[in-house]
Amino acid sequence: MEDYEEDTRTFADLGLSGPLLETVQNMGFSKPTPIQLQCIPPGIQGRDIIGIAPTGSGKTAAFALPMLQHLWSAPQGLFACVLAPTRELAFQISSQIDALGSAMGVRTTVIVGGDEDRVTQAVMLAKKPHVVVGTPGRLLDHLKVTKGFSLRNLKFLILDEADRLLDSDFGVSIDEILKNIPTERTTYLFSATLTDKVAKLQRANLRNPVKVQVSTKYQTVSSLLQYYLLCPLVKKEVTLISILNSINQNSVIIFVSTKEYCQKLAIMLRLLGFQSVPLHGGLSQSQRLGALNRFKGDGANILVATDLASRGLDIPTVDVVINYDCPTHSKDYIHRVGRTARAGRSGKSILMVTQYDVEFIQRLERVLEHKLELYPHDLDGLDLLRERVDEAGRVASNQMREEQLSKKDGRKRSKVILSADRDGEEDDEVAKHPFKRKRR
């Protein structure tokens, strides 16, 4: 394959229109990344594209810029649909498309599930946006029930993080959506890895696509320094606190396995004086976006997250990724550490390895084809921290228990109020019709 790292072409050399060139310049894009160099020219030519590149390589601009170029040439109503596996990624893609298309006046609408209001979304769809960015389940809901909304005239379909979109959780919805869009369209599949499911969809729905691959199946970027740190399970929490004390000026994402522990650890860190926020599937959409905004701004420099945050989120200033819990698969490790060292920046990852994780790190090193380095951290003094950390853990557990009891009491009160309202309605009905009997 040609070595595109030496490619000296600029965005102007790739054939982009004036408004788009003005925008990328204003956004500070100095030169195209390898994935952009290889995707934008065939995209402008109208080719279907399969783009395989590591996280942080500029995939969003690689598919958004040629799509916007075609929209500029043939403006119409609903022009493109972008599907993403998570709500956070959908919002992020939408904001980037808005920014890249700002000189053109492009209009985007985000259609995701959770606590987002369906009626409000239907109103936004009725305004005929140029681009709809959404998660498959909620988009399919609108296709079924929202009057006047269809994808029959769609020109572009883009699947970002396509390998995850084609997992069983999304597969049925994707199949249904494909039945509701024209076969004469341009299709882009973008992913960090090329799985069998992505290859299968390629054969079924793409027309003579150009395949762009700027990475091997499993690869991390060269600017990422990868470390491991051995610690006994019983000292894992205090070891984490010791690490955070040594890098307290850095922006850090800590990955854990469960949403319960994600919430607990975030509370513990706040009790210990760290600025931390949690991000997990148990939060409402507004809470998730609020946590991300605080982390991106000055509100918090530590994000404690489940794998909800491992895909696609572009937070350029992340200095360190700590894998507190080892992921299940090596591929998940690739996505997690891809939250740092993005777009040519440097970054650091630390994998915390207990006596139960040795097999994982051996398997990971075989996949990566290189050894992780031992993290240079002095573990002396853990006993001095132990009492404070254990106390913070107890307080966090009690706080979570009280919150759970409060939620249960709230639900019970709601049921009592609802039952009383129903009884009141029945009493009113009996008063109007005395010969009616209340059924119990």
Side-chain angles (χ1 to χ4, degrees), residues 350-361:
I350 303 169
L351 178 67
M352 298 185 68
V353 180
T354 71
Q355 63 269 37
Y356 304 107
D357 303 319
V358 175
E359 182 181 349
F360 171 79
I361 190 173

Side-chain angles (χ1 to χ4, degrees), residues 167-347:
D167 285 347
S168 57
D169 291 346
F170 300 105
V172 174
S173 296
I174 294 289
D175 289 340
E176 287 297 314
I177 291 171
L178 289 173
K179 293 176 183 176
N180 286 275
I181 60 178
T183 55
E184 293 295 319
R185 65 174 189 271
T186 302
T187 306
Y188 296 163
L189 302 183
F190 277 79
S191 178
T193 55
L194 181 60
T195 64
D196 293 339
K197 291 178 180 178
V198 174
K200 182 179 179 182
L201 188 66
Q202 166 194 347
R203 293 191 297 271
N205 296 286
L206 275 71
R207 300 170 297 167
N208 188 29
V210 55
K211 180 179 175 183
V212 172
Q213 186 163 357
V214 297
S215 69
T216 56
K217 185 175 182 182
Y218 295 107
Q219 188 179 45
T220 53
V221 295
S222 59
S223 57
L224 173 67
L225 300 176
Q226 299 177 73
Y227 299 98
Y228 74 95
L229 183 64
L230 294 170
C231 61
L233 182 62
V234 294
K235 293 186 177 181
K236 199 173 183 182
E237 287 181 349
V238 70
T239 301
L240 173 67
I241 301 306
S242 177
I243 294 172
L244 293 176
N245 280 334
S246 69
I247 57 172
N248 59 4
Q249 299 302 316
N250 286 269
S251 173
V252 183
I253 298 181
I254 304 170
F255 281 103
V256 298
S257 294
T258 67
K259 59 185 180 183
E260 291 79 13
Y261 190 72
C262 178
Q263 189 70 25
K264 177 185 175 181
L265 183 57
I267 295 171
M268 284 179 60
L269 293 177
R270 289 199 295 270
L271 292 170
L272 291 167
F274 296 99
Q275 293 181 310
S276 66
V277 288
L279 179 63
H280 56 77
L283 301 174
S284 67
Q285 187 60 41
S286 59
Q287 289 173 322
R288 294 186 197 181
L289 292 175
L292 280 173
N293 288 334
R294 284 191 65 197
F295 183 60
K296 289 180 179 180
D298 298 325
N301 68 316
I302 297 176
L303 179 70
V304 186
T306 61
D307 278 322
L308 180 71
S310 68
R311 295 282 190 130
L313 295 184
D314 185 18
I315 308 171
T317 57
V318 176
D319 302 306
V320 183
V321 167
I322 298 177
N323 280 285
Y324 180 84
D325 290 325
C326 288
T328 306
H329 303 290
S330 300
K331 183 176 70 172
D332 296 325
Y333 171 88
I334 302 291
H335 287 294
R336 287 182 178 186
V337 300
R339 298 312 97 209
T340 186
R342 298 177 69 83
R345 298 178 180 87
S346 61

